[in-house]
Amino acid sequence: MDSIASFVVPNSSCLIYTDENGVTALPSKASQVNNEEPTNYTHPKVPGWFSEYSPIWPGQAHFLKVEKILFQGKSEYQSMMVFQSSTYGKVFVLDGALQLTEKDECSYQEMMTHLPLCSIPNPEKVLLIGGGDGGILREISRHSSVEEIDICEIDTMLIDVYKQFFPDIAIGYKDSRTLFLNSVPSGIYDAIIVDAFDPIRPDHELFESEFFELVSKALRPGGVLCIQAESIWFKSLDIEQLLTKCRQIFKGCVDYAWTTVPAYPRQAKHTSNLHHIHPCLVVLGVIGFLLCSTDGPCVDFRDPINPIDPESYGISKQPLKFYTSEVHSAAFCLPSFAKKFTATEAKSSGDEF
């Protein structure tokens, strides 16, 4: 595999290795967590494979066989790589974190979009924050009631790379209803989908900012928000505490759902905080969604009152691959440990999960 070179993303857990050597230690800088002393984690190097690990979850690593590296580059904000894998199709890597694969992107994009939009009648105006790959735009286009789709995405190079290497995903940009925004007006959106931050949990820094208040003000009465939430397998996640904090802001219905994305064993889609972009942690192929509505007409997120017409492809060339009304309702069913798991229990259980 002469086309594959040894590749390490600075300050990340991403590695493609083509030498014949065995297990060696990663640079200590890659294994620092919370400013603690560097830990000398060993990391397996397999020739011709992309590997990903997190020092927060030692003893685990995820590998994808690389057939060919298609693109490497760096924008003003982040580094990017696209490679052809042997089992997941083309793969997009951002700052060392696996973001998306052709094989299973549908489960994330479809659920992130249709959980909120199928829970309210006839959404007309939708705002997408982040989501530069275009997949959520593609899914929004399936809703014929939508008249305008606004998007806020800072990295134009990222958009161009997706358009070149993932045209069936970035096809969402071809929807004539899509507009790019620099600022967001108040009180006009039926739905806001946020695909731009770390998975939300009770101690997330966004709760210390005005972000959620601004989102709430941008929604009409009874409008809905969907944002990525922490995985049910995250050992300190207290779902009820998370919902309680959000109810204080949004005043309407607040709920938690989840889905599976096999290619996300421990790092997920590109994320950013208020100042910079960095990879986020998602555990064992499971990600969560936080859904909130503002005060107004009652919203029951568990009841898909606005089902998608299976004959309506929107701008997409293909039917839905993952989402159904049955999957929608089932996404809110939690395993018993997640229902009962509190922050106190998490501290006492150590690394049980």
Side-chain angles (χ1 to χ4, degrees):
M1 303 181 67
D2 296 336
S3 62
I4 302 175
S6 178
F7 179 76
V8 180
V9 177
N11 305 328
S12 79
S13 57
C14 162
L15 176 68
I16 290 179
Y17 189 73
T18 57
D19 195 37
E20 296 296 330
N21 297 332
V23 177
T24 58
L26 280 178
S28 60
K29 192 170 184 178
S31 59
Q32 293 184 36
V33 182
N34 298 329
N35 296 320
E36 297 176 356
E37 288 298 316
T39 304
N40 192 29
Y41 292 106
T42 58
H43 186 67
K45 296 180 177 181
V46 181
W49 290 67
F50 168 89
S51 63
E52 191 176 17
Y53 96 112
S54 169
I56 295 178
W57 302 94
Q60 304 178 57
H62 177 57
F63 291 81
L64 289 178
K65 187 176 182 180
V66 179
E67 298 295 338
K68 184 179 181 181
I69 295 179
L70 303 174
F71 174 83
Q72 291 186 53
K74 188 173 183 179
S75 73
E76 179 183 353
Y77 306 100
Q78 51 211 338
S79 61
M80 308 173 201
M81 179 175 69
V82 180
F83 69 87
Q84 182 71 44
S85 71
S86 60
T87 54
Y88 279 80
K90 289 196 288 288
V91 178
F92 188 90
V93 178
L94 191 66
D95 284 342
L98 187 152
Q99 306 301 297
L100 175 152
T101 78
E102 288 181 311
K103 181 177 181 178
D104 61 7
E105 57 88 18
C106 59
S107 60
Y108 179 88
Q109 315 274 25
E110 293 181 16
M111 294 295 280
M112 187 91 171
T113 306
H114 305 310
L115 286 175
L117 295 188
C118 290
S119 297
I120 56 176
N122 303 316
E124 296 179 356
K125 200 171 181 66
V126 180
L127 171 64
L128 173 60
I129 300 175
D133 54 71
I136 292 176
L137 292 177
R138 177 195 66 198
E139 295 306 314
I140 296 173
S141 78
R142 297 183 191 273
H143 291 264
S144 58
S145 65
V146 173
E147 298 176 355
E148 183 176 325
I149 309 167
D150 295 337
I151 179 171
C152 296
E153 170 60 58
I154 62 172
D155 198 334
T156 57
M157 178 178 171
L158 179 141
I159 295 173
D160 292 338
V161 172
Y162 271 112
K163 285 181 177 180
Q164 180 178 353
F165 293 100
F166 300 88
D168 289 341
I169 298 173
I171 194 172
Y173 286 105
K174 294 184 178 181
D175 193 321
S176 60
R177 295 171 290 181
T178 300
L179 301 172
F180 283 88
L181 291 184
N182 292 320
S183 61
V184 176
S186 299
I188 66 169
Y189 291 105
D190 298 290
I192 296 176
I193 301 172
V194 181
D195 187 25
F197 294 102
D198 287 353
I200 301 301
R201 53 184 183 270
D203 60 349
H204 197 286
E205 60 188 359
L206 283 185
F207 285 112
E208 301 176 3
S209 73
E210 295 180 329
F211 179 78
F212 283 115
E213 285 82 0
L214 293 173
V215 168
S216 177
K217 291 177 181 178
L219 290 167
R220 63 161 177 77
V224 297
L225 161 72
C226 182
I227 187 171
Q228 186 184 150
E230 192 56 84
S231 165
I232 56 174
W233 291 101
F234 191 79
K235 61 183 180 181
S236 62
L237 176 63
D238 185 334
I239 295 175
E240 188 53 43
Q241 183 185 6
L242 175 63
L243 300 184
T244 298
K245 294 192 77 166
C246 290
R247 288 189 188 104
Q248 296 171 357
I249 300 171
F250 286 91
K251 310 302 182 183
C253 178
V254 177
D255 215 333
Y256 177 94
W258 60 291
T259 192
T260 60
V261 187
Y264 292 169
R266 55 194 43 81
Q267 288 191 317
K269 294 176 72 68
H270 75 281
T271 60
S272 63
N273 60 28
L274 298 179
H275 307 290
H276 64 280
I277 296 176
H278 56 90
C280 68
L281 290 173
V282 169
V283 186
L284 300 175
V286 173
I287 57 176
F289 301 107
L290 179 65
L291 294 117
C292 310
S293 68
T294 56
D295 191 20
C298 181
V299 177
D300 181 358
F301 288 111
R302 304 184 180 208
D303 180 16
I305 62 170
N306 181 33
I308 298 176
D309 181 352
E311 302 300 322
S312 177
Y313 291 7
I315 202 70
S316 177
K317 299 177 181 179
Q318 300 177 348
L320 291 166
K321 296 179 180 179
F322 190 90
Y323 176 90
T324 66
S325 293
E326 292 79 12
V327 169
H328 180 124
S329 297
F332 295 90
C333 298
L334 298 178
S336 57
F337 79 83
K339 290 181 180 179
K340 301 174 183 177
F341 207 44
T342 65
T344 302
E345 290 170 332
K347 291 178 182 178
S348 64
S349 64
D351 294 329
E352 180 180 354
F353 296 109

